[in-house]
Amino acid sequence: MKSGRIDSPAAMNSSCLQHADPHLALLTNMEHSPFSECIPDHRDLEPLHVELASEG
C-alpha cells in the first residue's frame, strides 16, 4: 500500500479526496467547525497542569 501512494498519482489523489477533503471541509465550516466559537479578541488560557509519569 505504501508503495502505491508513492508510485501512483491516482492513489495520492484518491487519498486526498477520501481523507483530507472531508477533514478540511469540516475545519473550514464556520457554523460547525471546532473553531466556530472563536472570537477576534482571543485570550490566552492558563497552561494545563501536567504530572510526570513515574519511572518504571
Side-chain angles (χ1 to χ4, degrees):
M1 180 77 176
K2 185 176 180 179
S3 64
R5 281 192 227 144
I6 295 170
D7 298 335
S8 172
M12 182 175 280
N13 185 44
S14 177
S15 176
C16 286
L17 289 174
Q18 293 178 6
H19 178 75
D21 193 47
H23 286 87
L24 188 58
L26 176 63
L27 291 173
T28 58
N29 181 323
M30 293 309 294
E31 294 179 14
H32 303 289
S33 81
F35 309 110
S36 62
E37 295 185 24
C38 286
I39 54 176
D41 57 337
H42 178 79
R43 62 183 173 83
D44 291 331
L45 301 175
E46 294 293 322
L48 294 175
H49 176 72
V50 176
E51 291 183 19
L52 299 176
S54 61
E55 290 187 33

